[in-house]
């Protein structure tokens, strides 16, 4: 091992930059949902939280998804009442689930410096 740690951190930095770059390319609506999810997960970022369980409970994740959806629907109804009826809420819920699971994954694999562990 001629270069044990520096290359390891360079690889992590590259992965982190790639993830951040790709997240910047999300559609505007997905970015908005991701911010809501990140805000909710900040409140759940404590030792013993269900997001850090070895095998997160499907029911807990479903309830968390519903909490995110309730906040999104409340924000949508406050901002634009006319087109909230036309939205495909089932499709949005699936997108929110994927974004939620990804954000939980990032939290579970981040150390104190914010570098992802792979």
């Amino acid at each position: 091992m001629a270069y044990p740690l520096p290359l390891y951190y360079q690889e992590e930095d590259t992965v982190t930059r790639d993830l951040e770059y790709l997240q910047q390319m999300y559609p505007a609506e997905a970015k908005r949902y991701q911010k809501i999810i990140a805000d909710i997960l900040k409140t759940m970022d404590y030792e013993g939280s269900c997001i850090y369980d070895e095998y997160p409970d499907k029911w807990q994740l479903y309830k968390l998804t519903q909490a995110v959806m309730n906040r999104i629907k409340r924000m949508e109804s406050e901002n634009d009442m006319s087109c909230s009826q036309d939205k495909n809420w089932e499709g949005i819920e699936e997108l929110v689930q994927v974004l939620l699971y990804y954000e939980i994954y990032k939290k579970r694999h981040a150390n104190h410096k914010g570098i992802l562990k792979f």
Side-chain angles (χ1 to χ4, degrees), residues 23-80:
Q23 284 181 330
Q24 290 175 1
M25 294 173 39
Y26 281 0
E29 200 168 8
K31 283 182 188 178
R32 193 168 57 246
Y33 299 156
Q34 183 184 18
K35 287 178 185 176
I36 293 169
I37 291 167
D39 288 342
I40 289 175
L41 288 180
K42 279 181 192 175
T43 65
M44 301 186 74
D45 195 7
Y46 56 87
E47 189 175 332
S49 173
C50 69
I51 65 174
Y52 295 114
D53 289 346
E54 185 175 356
Y55 297 103
D57 182 44
K58 190 173 183 177
W59 179 250
Q60 289 286 347
L61 295 177
Y62 173 77
K63 286 178 21 180
L64 192 54
T65 301
Q66 293 308 308
V68 172
M69 286 302 297
N70 289 337
R71 186 178 288 186
I72 289 170
K73 288 178 182 179
R74 191 170 48 244
M75 289 176 65
E76 292 287 327
S77 67
E78 290 172 1
N79 292 339
D80 188 33

Side-chain angles (χ1 to χ4, degrees), residues 79-104:
N79 292 339
D80 188 33
M81 297 184 82
S82 62
C83 85
S84 64
Q85 299 293 334
D86 300 335
K87 287 207 177 252
N88 177 8
W89 291 112
E90 289 177 15
I92 292 173
E93 185 172 340
E94 289 178 357
L95 172 64
V96 165
Q97 263 186 319
V98 171
L99 291 172
L100 175 67
Y101 296 163
Y102 180 69
E103 290 296 317
I104 290 172

